[in-house]
Each structure stands twice: as C-alpha cells, then as structure tokens.
Amino acid sequence: MKKNESYEEFVKGVWRDNPVFVQVLGMCPMLAVTNSAINAIAMGLATFFVLVGSSILVSSFRHWIPKQVRISCFIIIIATFVTIADYTLLALVPKVHKELGAFIPLIVANCLILGRQEAFASRYPTRLAVFDAMGMAAGFLLALFSLGAVREILGDGALFGVKLFGENFEPWVIMILPPGGFLTLGVILLFFNWFKYKKDEFLAEVAEAERSS
Amino acid sequence: MSASRDTASPSSLRLVLTLAIAGLISGIAIIGIYESTLPTITANKARELRAAVFKVLPGVSQMQALVYRDGELVALAEADKDESVVYGGYDERGEFVGYAVPGAGPGFQDTIALLYGYVPAEQQVVGMEILESRETPGLGDKIYKDAEFVAGFGALSTEPEIIAVKKGSKAAPNEIDAITGATISSKAVVRIINEAHVEWSERLPPPGSEPALNESESGGTGAGR
C-alpha cells in the first residue's frame, strides 16, 4: 500500500503530470539549453539535484516555516542548492558548465521547482515529497532529453556528438537555433494532447461497453 | 510545533528570525562549497591554459609566462592585473619555439577570448584555440567546433594581415576560409588575432633574442634553488 503510494507520486511526474508536456512549466531552460542531448541531460540532472534537495528540506521544515515568509524561505533553499550545483559543475565538468552558462544560476527562477515546493513539498511528509520531486525531475529530464535529442539529430546530424549520418547529410541548422526549440516542443505537445484525446475517447468507449453489457 | 501555532499569526520577530537563520545557513553552505571547489576550479583553469598553449604551439613541451614590463619581456610567474602576458613555448631541449598570445574582442554575441600560437621566425600563426565564447550554437560556435576552420590557423601568414575570405576561395598564405553561416564570428576571430598581433609585434624582441626558459619552470621561480 505504502509502496504503491510512492510509486504513484513518482509516475505522476514522469508521465501523467509531466511538468513540461502536461503542465507546460520550466519553458525557459526547456527552450534554451536543449540544442544538444548532452546539454539537456546536464541541465536535467542539475534540476533533479536542486528539486530533490530543496523538496527534502522544505518538507522537513514545513512546520517551522511560518507561511507568511514561506516563499522567501523556499527561494533561499532553492538558491543555495543552485549555487552548490553551479560550483560543483564548474569544478567537475567545466566544459558542460561553459555550454550551459547563465542557465545554471537561472534554475532558481524555474517555476517548476518553486511550484513543487508550494504545491507539494510544503504540505506532505518527506518520503512522499522526495518521490514527488524525483518523479517531476525525472519527467523534466525526460522532456529535456527528448527535445535535445530530436534537435541535435536534425540540426547537427549527431547524437551525443557522434555523427549519425554520412557526409551528405545537410544539417537542419534551424533546429538548434531558438525557433527549432519552439517547433520541436510544439510537435511534441501536439502528440501529447492527441494521445490524451485518444485515451479519453478509449475510456469513454470502455465505459459505454461496460454499461451495455 | 502545534497546529495552533501554525494558524495563529506569528510575531514579526519570528518571521525575521526565520529568514535570518535561513540566510545564515545558506550563506555558510555557499561559503563551504565555494571554498571546497575553489582549488579544483583554479587547477582546472591552469591546466586548461597549459593544454591550450601546447595545442596552439605544436612541438612545444615546456612553457613559461612572459610579462611585458618596462619595454621588455620578463619571465615571471606572477603578473600584475593590468600587465600584458604572453606565454613562451619551448621544446624539450629548452629551445624557444614561439609565443602563445592571448587576445579578446567582441564576437557576434559576447566577448570572444582566444589564444593563438605565433612563431616569429616564420611570421606565422601556427594554431588557434578559443578559450571563451558565447556564439550562436550550431553556427557561431563552429569557430571552435569546426575542425577545418581551426586547422586553417595551422600555417597562416600574418603579413600584411590575416584576411577571412569566402569558404573555398583561399588563395594566399594570409587568407583563411570563413565558416559558411558564421561570417561575423569568423571575421571576429581574425580581427582579434590581427589586433593582438599589431599590439604585440612591436613589443616582441627580434627573433633569436627571446627570453630563455627559466630553469625552475613557471610557478616555482627560484624558490629553494
């Protein structure tokens, strides 16, 4: 029973309530750093660390933080984790840090993170908050990666820097430029909405069949 | 903490204290991470610079920083902030090979910082490495991702100056093929090198009288020897 609950919270973030494809949150890093798969993954992992870390703290201290100053407290916690992530990336993987540049400090402003603290971590026990944060962050990572992979394959003819096509492939440069981000995201959102529409239709059919039998 | 305390309006003091404590803890955490990563970050930067010097000057296995002071180049481990520095490259016998000259200037989006290798005996640029740039991904960033463009700096005459030409139309030894779709970035790289070259050409000593390699190697000037 308990296990199921945690699992539910996790899967919810990855698929049903995917922060990007369903809630349409965190668009800024989503569009900005997904020009290659590796950047997307680095950003996803940094966000994962910040989101899970701050969710644990916010959820553990939820009774001590007066609600009048909760948003400021959340931001202080988030900003601290972001700074830690920033310096750690700079020390361990300077190349990736160089590519992501200003977007690491900007994780603070990712509304997905503050949103989860306000909507979930500050109201639920730590264990559930951790699973919720992990689910949401995994969903975000998945979304970033799918966008980054599509854009890198089409725009650069490569994945993780490995060339996939022969010499004759003409890179579709617009895909790694900002418009490519909007185009790819648009198509993926279209798919998700179509999928939801089909699912609702199917559920309605099942309900209909059950009632008539 | 009881539920009643949560619902009752807390005193201002408590609000201020909560934020102050949160800020304090956060500050301590940030100082901790800064202090613990600083050595790695500085070491990374030094190693990157070393690697870049060896890359832009093929055949070089030792280097030292040279500071331009009072009209001549001096081998010094540490320079003042406003002093100009070049890096002298030497082969394994300690013979002078060339200079690695840093340069910076406006690119398409932000400052481009680079390092180029210059062999004064041949009046040639022998290598170029971008240290810092924020050029457009996929277009401008080819100034360091496009191997062909970077290789173009492998043997490039600086007389009278380097010129970026349309891709495929390189005809003279001082011309380099610009990157299609990244003309501004390519030209910026060329301009930065030209400007740095003009600035340094009057400061560098005549070929043959370059400062000798300091035996104690850069970093440990004279200490304990």
Side-chain angles (χ1 to χ4, degrees):
Chain A
M1 182 68 202
K2 278 203 160 178
K3 211 173 173 186
N4 269 345
E5 222 172 44
S6 319
Y7 175 75
E8 261 303 298
E9 297 301 347
F10 183 78
V11 167
K12 169 192 79 182
V14 178
W15 186 254
R16 202 183 66 237
D17 284 342
N18 186 293
V20 174
F21 298 143
V22 180
Q23 302 182 57
V24 201
L25 287 174
M27 286 298 109
C28 213
M30 191 69 211
L31 293 166
V33 299
T34 53
N35 45 39
S36 76
I38 190 76
N39 286 359
I41 286 186
M43 175 50 97
L45 289 179
T47 312
F48 190 97
F49 167 73
V50 173
L51 184 52
V52 173
S54 18
S55 279
I56 293 174
L57 280 194
V58 165
S59 165
S60 327
F61 292 113
R62 67 186 189 283
H63 296 305
W64 280 273
I65 298 173
K67 66 173 184 299
Q68 286 85 348
V69 291
R70 64 183 194 285
I71 303 284
S72 330
C73 285
F74 298 166
I75 288 291
I76 291 175
I77 293 172
I78 296 168
T80 309
F81 276 104
V82 170
T83 313
I84 293 174
D86 192 9
Y87 280 112
T88 314
L89 283 177
L90 184 57
L92 296 182
V93 277
K95 278 222 174 79
V96 174
H97 186 272
K98 209 160 144 189
E99 293 269 320
L100 297 180
F103 288 99
I104 298 173
L106 277 177
I107 297 175
V108 180
N110 189 336
C111 46
L112 160 68
I113 297 175
L114 185 61
R116 281 340 279 170
Q117 312 311 326
E118 172 70 3
F120 201 95
S122 61
R123 290 153 208 255
Y124 289 89
T126 313
R127 194 179 51 87
L128 284 184
V130 169
F131 278 103
D132 171 74
M134 276 166 42
M136 284 293 163
F140 190 63
L141 179 65
L142 181 78
L144 280 169
F145 174 70
S146 40
L147 221 71
V150 168
R151 289 178 67 186
E152 193 181 347
I153 290 171
L154 294 179
D156 214 14
L159 188 61
F160 296 115
V162 180
K163 294 276 172 212
L164 296 179
F165 310 111
E167 279 295 302
N168 290 330
F169 179 74
E170 182 63 36
W172 205 5
V173 174
I174 195 168
M175 294 311 285
I176 23 181
L177 295 180
F182 285 100
L183 287 173
T184 317
L185 183 64
V187 170
I188 295 180
L189 285 180
L190 194 69
F191 166 76
F192 257 75
N193 280 325
W194 172 82
F195 181 80
K196 188 168 170 282
Y197 178 77
K198 281 284 160 198
K199 192 178 151 197
D200 288 348
E201 220 173 45
F202 174 74
L203 286 181
E205 253 173 48
V206 170
E208 185 87 357
E210 267 181 2
R211 212 174 304 137
S212 58
S213 66
Chain B
M1 290 293 141
S2 63
S4 62
R5 192 133 172 217
D6 269 349
T7 46
S9 180
S11 68
S12 310
L13 183 70
R14 183 161 173 240
L15 300 184
V16 171
L17 269 182
T18 311
L19 283 180
I21 292 170
L24 185 74
I25 296 172
S26 150
I28 292 170
I30 289 173
I31 292 169
I33 190 76
Y34 177 77
E35 288 293 332
S36 57
T37 51
L38 192 62
T40 328
I41 293 170
T42 336
N44 276 348
K45 282 201 174 137
R47 199 177 51 228
E48 243 171 61
L49 182 71
R50 243 183 122 72
V53 169
F54 292 164
K55 206 165 166 189
V56 298
L57 285 170
V60 161
S61 59
Q62 298 175 74
M63 64 170 272
Q64 71 179 353
L66 301 171
V67 183
Y68 184 71
R69 183 177 285 174
D70 306 326
E72 57 170 346
L73 277 181
V74 203
L76 269 186
E78 274 170 44
D80 290 339
K81 263 218 166 118
D82 52 344
E83 281 181 314
S84 325
V85 180
V86 286
Y87 304 94
Y90 305 81
D91 62 18
E92 65 261 334
R93 280 172 298 133
E95 300 278 324
F96 178 83
V97 177
Y99 299 104
V101 187
F108 183 60
Q109 295 194 335
D110 204 347
T111 304
I112 298 176
L114 56 78
L115 192 73
Y116 68 90
Y118 177 66
V119 176
E122 296 166 16
Q123 295 196 321
Q124 263 191 349
V125 166
V126 292
M128 187 276 299
E129 168 99 342
I130 303 287
L131 300 177
E132 241 182 87
S133 79
R134 288 208 195 291
E135 300 304 281
T136 322
L139 292 173
D141 70 351
K142 285 194 183 148
I143 56 174
Y144 58 91
K145 283 191 178 152
D146 187 336
E148 225 176 287
F149 178 72
V150 176
F153 288 92
L156 199 56
S157 172
T158 51
E159 296 303 317
E161 61 166 7
I162 305 169
I163 301 165
V165 293
K166 200 160 171 272
K167 187 157 189 168
S169 57
K170 176 182 162 77
N174 66 329
E175 287 178 352
I176 180 151
D177 288 335
I179 302 163
T180 317
T183 320
I184 296 177
S185 303
S186 320
K187 285 195 168 156
V189 170
V190 167
R191 196 185 57 239
I192 293 165
I193 296 183
N194 279 332
E195 279 170 6
H197 180 66
V198 168
E199 194 189 335
W200 278 100
S201 53
E202 51 198 59
R203 293 181 184 171
L204 297 178
S209 57
E210 286 90 3
L213 179 66
N214 196 338
E215 282 303 306
S216 61
E217 248 238 307
S218 61
T221 18
R225 284 182 72 102

